CSV table of all heavy atoms in Angstrom, one decimal:
chain,number,residue,atom,x,y,z
A,463,LYS,N,0.8,-1.2,0.0
A,463,LYS,CA,0.0,0.0,0.0
A,463,LYS,C,0.9,1.2,0.0
A,463,LYS,O,1.8,1.3,0.7
A,463,LYS,CB,-0.9,0.0,1.2
A,463,LYS,CG,-1.9,-1.1,1.3
A,463,LYS,CD,-3.1,-0.8,0.5
A,463,LYS,CE,-4.1,-1.9,0.7
A,463,LYS,NZ,-5.2,-1.8,-0.3
A,464,VAL,N,0.5,2.2,-0.8
A,464,VAL,CA,1.2,3.5,-0.9
A,464,VAL,C,0.4,4.4,0.0
A,464,VAL,O,-0.8,4.6,-0.2
A,464,VAL,CB,1.3,4.0,-2.3
A,464,VAL,CG1,1.9,5.4,-2.4
A,464,VAL,CG2,2.1,3.0,-3.2
A,465,LEU,N,1.0,5.1,0.9
A,465,LEU,CA,0.4,6.0,1.8
A,465,LEU,C,0.4,7.4,1.2
A,465,LEU,O,1.4,7.8,0.5
A,465,LEU,CB,1.0,6.0,3.1
A,465,LEU,CG,1.0,4.7,3.9
A,465,LEU,CD1,1.7,4.8,5.2
A,465,LEU,CD2,-0.5,4.3,4.1
A,466,HIS,N,-0.6,8.2,1.5
A,466,HIS,CA,-0.7,9.6,1.1
A,466,HIS,C,-1.1,10.4,2.3
A,466,HIS,O,-1.7,9.9,3.2
A,466,HIS,CB,-1.7,9.8,-0.1
A,466,HIS,CG,-1.5,9.0,-1.3
A,466,HIS,ND1,-0.5,9.3,-2.2
A,466,HIS,CD2,-2.0,7.8,-1.7
A,466,HIS,CE1,-0.5,8.4,-3.1
A,466,HIS,NE2,-1.4,7.4,-2.8
A,467,LEU,N,-0.8,11.7,2.2
A,467,LEU,CA,-1.4,12.6,3.3
A,467,LEU,C,-2.9,12.6,3.1
A,467,LEU,O,-3.4,12.8,2.0
A,467,LEU,CB,-0.8,14.0,3.1
A,467,LEU,CG,0.5,14.3,3.6
A,467,LEU,CD1,1.0,15.7,3.2
A,467,LEU,CD2,0.6,14.2,5.1
A,468,PRO,N,-3.6,12.3,4.1
A,468,PRO,CA,-5.1,12.3,4.0
A,468,PRO,C,-5.6,13.7,3.8
A,468,PRO,O,-5.0,14.7,4.3
A,468,PRO,CB,-5.6,11.7,5.3
A,468,PRO,CG,-4.5,11.9,6.3
A,468,PRO,CD,-3.2,11.9,5.5
A,469,LYS,N,-6.7,13.9,3.0
A,469,LYS,CA,-7.3,15.2,2.8
A,469,LYS,C,-7.9,15.7,4.1
A,469,LYS,O,-8.1,16.9,4.2
A,469,LYS,CB,-8.3,15.1,1.7
A,469,LYS,CG,-7.7,14.6,0.4
A,469,LYS,CD,-6.8,15.7,-0.2
A,469,LYS,CE,-6.3,15.2,-1.6
A,469,LYS,NZ,-5.0,15.8,-1.9
A,470,GLN,N,-8.3,14.8,4.9
A,470,GLN,CA,-9.0,15.2,6.2
A,470,GLN,C,-8.6,14.2,7.3
A,470,GLN,O,-8.5,13.0,7.0
A,470,GLN,CB,-10.5,15.2,5.9
A,470,GLN,CG,-11.4,15.4,7.1
A,470,GLN,CD,-12.8,15.4,6.8
A,470,GLN,OE1,-13.2,16.3,6.0
A,470,GLN,NE2,-13.6,14.5,7.3
A,471,VAL,N,-8.4,14.6,8.5
A,471,VAL,CA,-8.2,13.7,9.6
A,471,VAL,C,-9.3,14.1,10.7
A,471,VAL,O,-9.6,15.2,10.9
A,471,VAL,CB,-6.8,13.8,10.2
A,471,VAL,CG1,-5.8,13.2,9.3
A,471,VAL,CG2,-6.4,15.2,10.5
A,472,ARG,N,-9.8,13.0,11.3
A,472,ARG,CA,-10.8,13.1,12.3
A,472,ARG,C,-10.4,12.6,13.6
A,472,ARG,O,-9.9,11.4,13.7
A,472,ARG,CB,-12.1,12.4,11.8
A,472,ARG,CG,-13.3,12.5,12.6
A,472,ARG,CD,-14.4,11.7,12.0
A,472,ARG,NE,-14.8,12.2,10.7
A,472,ARG,CZ,-15.8,13.0,10.5
A,472,ARG,NH1,-16.5,13.5,11.4
A,472,ARG,NH2,-16.0,13.4,9.2
A,473,ASN,N,-10.4,13.4,14.6
A,473,ASN,CA,-10.1,13.0,16.0
A,473,ASN,C,-8.6,12.5,16.1
A,473,ASN,O,-8.3,11.7,16.9
A,473,ASN,CB,-11.0,12.0,16.5
A,473,ASN,CG,-12.4,12.5,16.6
A,473,ASN,OD1,-12.7,13.7,16.9
A,473,ASN,ND2,-13.4,11.7,16.3
A,474,VAL,N,-7.7,13.1,15.4
A,474,VAL,CA,-6.3,12.8,15.4
A,474,VAL,C,-5.6,14.1,16.0
A,474,VAL,O,-4.7,13.9,16.9
A,474,VAL,CB,-5.7,12.5,14.1
A,474,VAL,CG1,-4.2,12.3,14.1
A,474,VAL,CG2,-6.4,11.2,13.5
A,475,ILE,N,-6.0,15.2,15.6
A,475,ILE,CA,-5.4,16.5,16.0
A,475,ILE,C,-6.4,17.2,16.9
A,475,ILE,O,-7.6,17.2,16.6
A,475,ILE,CB,-5.1,17.4,14.8
A,475,ILE,CG1,-4.3,16.7,13.8
A,475,ILE,CG2,-4.4,18.7,15.3
A,475,ILE,CD1,-4.2,17.5,12.5
A,476,LYS,N,-6.0,17.8,18.0
A,476,LYS,CA,-6.9,18.6,18.8
A,476,LYS,C,-6.7,20.1,18.5
A,476,LYS,O,-5.6,20.5,18.5
A,476,LYS,CB,-6.7,18.3,20.3
A,476,LYS,CG,-7.1,17.0,20.7
A,476,LYS,CD,-7.1,16.9,22.2
A,476,LYS,CE,-7.6,15.5,22.6
A,476,LYS,NZ,-8.9,15.4,23.2
A,477,CYS,N,-7.8,20.8,18.3
A,477,CYS,CA,-7.7,22.2,18.1
A,477,CYS,C,-7.3,22.9,19.3
A,477,CYS,O,-7.8,22.7,20.4
A,477,CYS,CB,-9.1,22.8,17.6
A,477,CYS,SG,-9.0,24.5,17.0
A,478,LYS,N,-6.3,23.8,19.2
A,478,LYS,CA,-5.7,24.6,20.3
A,478,LYS,C,-6.4,25.9,20.5
A,478,LYS,O,-6.2,26.6,21.5
A,478,LYS,CB,-4.2,24.8,20.1
A,478,LYS,CG,-3.5,23.5,20.1
A,478,LYS,CD,-2.0,23.7,19.9
A,478,LYS,CE,-1.3,22.4,20.0
A,478,LYS,NZ,0.1,22.5,19.7
A,479,ASN,N,-7.4,26.3,19.7
A,479,ASN,CA,-8.1,27.5,19.8
A,479,ASN,C,-9.1,27.3,20.9
A,479,ASN,O,-10.1,26.6,20.8
A,479,ASN,CB,-8.8,27.9,18.5
A,479,ASN,CG,-9.6,29.2,18.6
A,479,ASN,OD1,-9.7,29.8,19.6
A,479,ASN,ND2,-10.1,29.6,17.4
A,480,PRO,N,-9.0,28.1,22.0
A,480,PRO,CA,-9.9,27.9,23.1
A,480,PRO,C,-11.4,28.4,22.8
A,480,PRO,O,-12.3,28.0,23.5
A,480,PRO,CB,-9.3,28.8,24.3
A,480,PRO,CG,-8.4,29.7,23.6
A,480,PRO,CD,-8.0,29.1,22.3
A,481,ARG,N,-11.5,29.2,21.7
A,481,ARG,CA,-12.8,29.6,21.4
A,481,ARG,C,-13.5,28.7,20.3
A,481,ARG,O,-14.6,29.0,19.9
A,481,ARG,CB,-12.8,31.1,20.9
A,481,ARG,CG,-12.4,32.0,22.0
A,481,ARG,CD,-12.4,33.4,21.6
A,481,ARG,NE,-12.5,33.7,20.2
A,481,ARG,CZ,-12.1,34.9,19.7
A,481,ARG,NH1,-11.6,35.8,20.4
A,481,ARG,NH2,-12.2,35.1,18.4
A,482,CYS,N,-12.8,27.7,19.8
A,482,CYS,CA,-13.3,26.8,18.8
A,482,CYS,C,-14.5,26.0,19.4
A,482,CYS,O,-14.5,25.6,20.6
A,482,CYS,CB,-12.2,25.8,18.3
A,482,CYS,SG,-12.8,24.7,17.1
A,483,ILE,N,-15.5,25.7,18.6
A,483,ILE,CA,-16.7,25.0,19.0
A,483,ILE,C,-16.3,23.6,19.5
A,483,ILE,O,-16.9,23.1,20.5
A,483,ILE,CB,-17.7,24.9,17.9
A,483,ILE,CG1,-19.0,24.3,18.4
A,483,ILE,CG2,-17.2,24.1,16.7
A,483,ILE,CD1,-19.9,25.2,19.0
A,484,THR,N,-15.2,23.0,19.0
A,484,THR,CA,-14.8,21.7,19.5
A,484,THR,C,-14.2,21.7,20.9
A,484,THR,O,-14.2,20.7,21.5
A,484,THR,CB,-13.7,21.1,18.5
A,484,THR,OG1,-12.6,21.9,18.5
A,484,THR,CG2,-14.3,20.9,17.1
A,485,SER,N,-13.8,22.9,21.4
A,485,SER,CA,-13.3,23.0,22.7
A,485,SER,C,-14.5,23.1,23.7
A,485,SER,O,-14.4,22.8,24.9
A,485,SER,CB,-12.5,24.3,22.9
A,485,SER,OG,-11.4,24.2,22.1
A,486,ILE,N,-15.6,23.5,23.2
A,486,ILE,CA,-16.8,23.7,24.1
A,486,ILE,C,-17.7,22.5,24.0
A,486,ILE,O,-18.2,22.0,25.0
A,486,ILE,CB,-17.6,25.0,23.6
A,486,ILE,CG1,-16.7,26.2,23.7
A,486,ILE,CG2,-18.9,25.2,24.4
A,486,ILE,CD1,-17.2,27.4,22.9
A,487,GLU,N,-18.0,22.0,22.8
A,487,GLU,CA,-18.9,20.9,22.6
A,487,GLU,C,-18.1,19.6,22.7
A,487,GLU,O,-17.3,19.3,21.8
A,487,GLU,CB,-19.6,20.9,21.2
A,487,GLU,CG,-20.5,22.1,21.1
A,487,GLU,CD,-21.8,22.0,21.9
A,487,GLU,OE1,-22.2,20.8,22.2
A,487,GLU,OE2,-22.3,23.0,22.3
A,488,GLN,N,-18.3,18.8,23.8
A,488,GLN,CA,-17.5,17.6,24.1
A,488,GLN,C,-17.7,16.5,23.0
A,488,GLN,O,-16.8,15.8,22.7
A,488,GLN,CB,-17.8,17.1,25.5
A,488,GLN,CG,-17.4,18.1,26.6
A,488,GLN,CD,-16.0,18.5,26.6
A,488,GLN,OE1,-15.1,17.7,26.3
A,488,GLN,NE2,-15.7,19.8,26.8
């Protein structure tokens, strides 16, 4: 299998912006 950078990642990186909706909505 040849790997590529994925176009989208889900629940791998956490947003560091404290005002981001993902920081508020668990």
Side-chain angles (χ1 to χ4, degrees):
K463 296 279 186 190
V464 176
L465 299 177
H466 303 282
L467 279 172
K469 300 292 182 204
Q470 175 177 297
V471 289
R472 183 180 300 264
N473 298 325
V474 176
I475 309 167
K476 289 193 180 250
C477 188
K478 293 181 180 176
N479 180 355
R481 295 187 343 204
C482 180
I483 187 83
T484 60
S485 299
I486 301 163
E487 295 291 329
Q488 298 301 322

